[in-house]
Amino acid sequence: MADAPLLEVRSLVKQFGGRRVVDDVSFTLARGETLGLVGESGSGKSTTARCVLRMLEADGGSVLFDGEDVLALRREPLRRLRRRMQVVFQDPHGSLNRRSSVEQILTAPLAAHGLGDRAARAARVAELLELVGLGGGYAQRRPRELSGGQAQRVAIARALALEPEFVVLDEAVSALDVSVRAQVLNLLTQLQRELGLTYLFISHDLAIVRYMAHQVAVMRHGRVVEAQPRTRLFEQPRHEYTRSLMDAIPVADPDLEQARILAARE
Amino acid sequence: MAELPVPAVTARERLRRLPRPSLLAVSAGILLLLVVLVLAAPLVARYDPNEQDPAIAFAGSSWAHWFGTDDLGRDLFARVLYGGRLTLLIAGGAVVVAFLLGTAWGFLAALRRGIVDELLMRSADALMAIPQLLFALVCISAFGASTLNLALVIGVLLAPTTARMARTVALQEMNRDYYAAAVAYGARRRRLLLAELLPNTVSLLAVQAAINAASAMILEASLSFVGLGIQPPDASWGTLLKEGYQFLYQRWEYAIFPALAILLTIWMLNVVADQLGARSNRGRA
């Protein structure tokens, strides 16, 4: 059973008004690994993830999560499955209810599934804040009293509240400052190691995907144009589009950068 | 060290530096004052509003009768104050009915989408297509013109606009990530409504409530004006206006004071709605 993939997506299709936003997308994701899903905005990455999470209804294909057919689940079984798959969004403040305290935000998932009593939930909040590197002092704060990085840590804590196995990170660090971004990325890899999490890491930035992902799938116009293990993808990109994405990664060495720009011109 | 000369502050300058109350505070304050005056009518008014004294009928305003007296010699100041009670009671009741009914209506449509949404919104359109006054006339003729009936009928009339507003703001909020996250962790519908949607839309719904209060007063006044509102000897501002209107050439105070009361209240409600709307837009940006 250990070898069976945690997530298996087959020929997923999603249309909006006759246009195929997700077009025959397939991939598998092994337990404890990270699949990087890259592509420019509008390429269908987020829509794919939302269909997998059943936040949108797919128009075709299948999604198997731990052998269970996600797309066929009815209300209550689907709600139970939601405990096992969670999501972190791009905009840290937009993803927190600004009328709630951090404590309320973190206990809401527990309450939704009837987990623990009042004391147990409070303890879990403290534990979660600790886990994402925030002290217990943050429990009574409101989202507007948090920085972007802190708010995103709270969003990550909320995603982890139900002890999921699978987390979708939908451009989860794209809105953060560079230094904060590095901290949050480190936190995410550390959490993956400690909790054995499986990530679907969505980003438009190949450099970050290179840092995070074990497997990489490149999407364009709703299709997966290339899917390879990370090292192979970065050494021998097969698709032209992947190469052009790679050329867009800035290089820290000015001489190299200059040479590359000149080479690209010829 | 030599003392620096302190520039003299003129009285006008001092006035300018005083903290300025916001428009919202002023208008809400005036409304509050009106409500308190009306509620405290037995303490403020020196006469029974329904006590007749033909000897002083049609008196002009005087120290004894600030707004004068009507054709039956009743004190108009007392009648306007007591009339405000009924007017505000009906308007308040109608606002509550419209809020409860309209919010549930609009939120349900937003949450269910699809065919339920269509049905709910088309029925709102249908209700809005009926002329308000006509609908109210029919209902009041059928069920009678009690305070409760008036509040219910006016509330029902205002519910569809409220429902539309509630649906729009709910859909806006449902597009936000915090709502998506709540769906993703498996929040039940009740929680989505009460803990996620309602707290984030209540400020916009309050704007609608203030507009509704103004509309309710106008409707009540219109119904009373055509004789289907509050029945004599009791009076609301609308019925007072109607009675006074008959004697407009003999004694203008009779009609003008209830009219001013209606005007001032609706004006202040509109300012409050406007300011609340501007404020919640700023909070969003």
Side-chain angles (χ1 to χ4, degrees):
Chain A
M1 227 8 235
D3 292 326
L6 180 67
L7 181 73
E8 196 171 348
V9 175
R10 288 269 159 264
S11 310
L12 195 70
V13 173
K14 175 69 190 175
Q15 308 192 12
F16 286 120
R19 210 170 61 87
R20 288 199 163 195
V21 177
V22 176
D23 191 0
D24 196 23
V25 166
S26 303
F27 55 83
T28 59
L29 184 45
R31 234 172 254 277
E33 291 211 333
T34 299
L35 173 69
L37 201 54
V38 275
E40 60 204 29
S41 56
S43 58
K45 304 166 300 205
S46 292
T47 311
T48 303
R50 280 173 194 248
C51 288
V52 169
L53 294 169
R54 278 288 292 275
M55 292 162 69
L56 282 175
E57 295 301 322
D59 294 317
S62 67
V63 175
L64 293 179
F65 182 83
D66 201 12
E68 210 166 353
D69 185 355
V70 176
L71 301 188
L73 288 178
R74 298 258 171 202
R75 240 174 119 128
E76 261 316 295
L78 175 63
R79 233 175 60 78
R80 280 198 296 278
L81 183 75
R82 291 197 185 285
R83 282 182 62 174
R84 304 176 61 190
M85 33 200 256
Q86 283 297 308
V87 57
V88 178
F89 296 105
Q90 173 169 8
D91 173 12
H93 282 107
S95 69
L96 303 180
N97 184 342
R98 60 210 158 92
R99 303 276 175 199
S100 306
S101 68
V102 167
E103 184 171 29
Q104 286 168 333
I105 289 168
L106 295 181
T107 46
L110 304 174
H113 292 275
L115 300 176
D117 55 11
R118 187 182 268 266
R121 284 177 196 170
R124 180 71 179 142
V125 168
E127 192 180 290
L128 285 166
L129 287 173
E130 201 63 49
L131 195 63
V132 296
L134 295 172
Y138 285 88
Q140 295 315 319
R141 295 224 195 160
R142 302 265 153 183
R144 66 166 161 277
E145 298 164 335
L146 302 174
S147 70
Q150 290 166 343
Q152 199 62 324
R153 283 170 193 264
V154 171
I156 293 168
R158 173 180 57 195
L160 298 177
L162 296 168
E163 300 182 47
E165 295 141 73
F166 172 57
V167 180
V168 172
L169 302 164
D170 189 352
E171 302 273 10
V173 297
S174 305
L176 305 175
D177 294 341
V178 178
S179 61
V180 180
R181 183 183 299 175
Q183 290 168 14
V184 172
L185 284 174
N186 285 335
L187 172 68
L188 289 170
T189 43
Q190 180 202 331
L191 289 169
Q192 179 167 47
R193 222 178 316 116
E194 286 174 10
L195 306 172
L197 297 169
T198 307
Y199 288 151
L200 178 59
F201 189 89
I202 298 175
S203 178
H204 62 276
D205 186 344
L206 258 186
I208 294 178
V209 168
R210 181 181 210 164
Y211 174 78
M212 288 294 291
H214 303 94
Q215 302 280 329
V216 182
V218 181
M219 278 190 78
R220 189 187 194 192
H221 300 326
R223 290 176 161 271
V224 173
V225 294
E226 177 163 11
Q228 295 212 68
R230 174 191 53 185
T231 36
R232 201 136 28 98
L233 182 100
F234 281 92
E235 278 161 16
Q236 313 167 312
R238 278 193 236 131
H239 199 277
E240 198 188 326
Y241 180 65
T242 313
R243 278 194 290 274
S244 68
L245 279 182
M246 282 181 186
D247 288 338
I249 304 175
V251 182
D253 184 333
D255 293 338
L256 260 177
E257 176 75 8
Q258 192 65 28
R260 209 184 60 172
I261 291 170
L262 287 174
R265 259 186 216 161
E266 273 157 28
Chain B
M1 220 160 85
E3 294 261 319
L4 284 171
V6 179
V9 180
T10 62
R12 174 182 288 203
E13 182 73 0
R14 223 174 276 146
L15 197 69
R16 209 174 57 80
R17 285 185 194 173
L18 281 176
R20 244 182 244 188
S22 70
L23 200 52
L24 182 63
V26 171
S27 49
I30 293 176
L31 276 179
L32 193 70
L33 187 70
L34 277 169
V35 171
V36 167
L37 265 179
V38 159
L39 287 181
L43 303 175
V44 184
R46 288 170 295 171
Y47 302 92
D48 182 324
N50 292 333
E51 193 190 282
Q52 306 178 5
D53 184 356
I56 53 164
F58 276 137
S61 52
S62 62
W63 276 115
H65 302 279
W66 291 352
F67 291 180
T69 58
D70 68 4
D71 50 322
L72 297 173
R74 295 176 292 198
D75 179 52
L76 272 175
F77 183 62
R79 283 184 73 72
V80 168
L81 281 183
Y82 278 92
R85 292 182 141 196
L86 283 172
T87 295
L88 293 186
L89 188 64
I90 291 168
V95 166
V96 171
V97 171
F99 178 82
L100 292 178
L101 196 62
T103 307
W105 193 338
F107 277 12
L108 196 66
L111 216 54
R112 298 295 294 266
R113 302 311 312 268
I115 183 80
V116 180
D117 186 15
E118 280 298 316
L119 281 174
L120 286 172
M121 283 303 109
R122 291 303 78 77
S123 57
D125 290 345
L127 192 50
M128 275 190 273
I130 305 172
Q132 289 192 326
L133 211 49
L134 192 68
F135 180 88
L137 285 175
V138 171
C139 290
I140 297 298
S141 318
F143 304 120
S146 69
T147 311
L148 180 68
N149 282 350
L150 280 167
L152 281 176
V153 168
I154 295 172
V156 168
L157 272 172
L158 295 174
T161 17
T162 312
R164 255 199 199 171
M165 174 79 174
R167 177 179 176 273
T168 311
V169 295
L171 285 177
Q172 243 170 41
E173 290 302 313
M174 286 165 73
N175 268 328
R176 288 167 192 259
D177 286 343
Y178 75 86
Y179 186 86
V183 172
Y185 65 65
R188 288 176 199 278
R189 198 161 274 172
R190 222 173 79 114
R191 185 193 157 81
L192 289 177
L193 275 177
L194 298 181
E196 309 290 340
L197 284 184
L198 198 57
N200 286 290
T201 52
V202 81
S203 59
L204 286 168
L205 294 173
V207 177
Q208 183 66 36
I211 297 169
N212 277 349
S215 311
M217 286 183 54
I218 294 173
L219 264 172
E220 188 276 326
S222 313
L223 281 172
S224 296
F225 194 80
V226 296
L228 281 167
I230 297 301
Q231 300 302 313
D234 287 331
S236 67
W237 288 343
T239 44
L240 287 174
L241 184 63
K242 177 202 166 206
E243 287 168 13
Y245 176 74
Q246 300 165 13
F247 305 107
L248 200 57
Y249 292 109
Q250 289 96 323
R251 182 143 303 302
W252 56 269
E253 294 103 315
Y254 197 164
I256 220 73
F257 285 114
L260 278 178
I262 295 173
L263 182 74
L264 183 64
T265 314
I266 290 174
W267 183 19
M268 289 305 118
L269 277 170
N270 277 318
V271 175
V272 166
D274 214 39
Q275 292 297 310
L276 276 179
R279 194 162 282 214
S280 78
N281 274 338
R282 244 176 290 143
R284 231 150 253 271

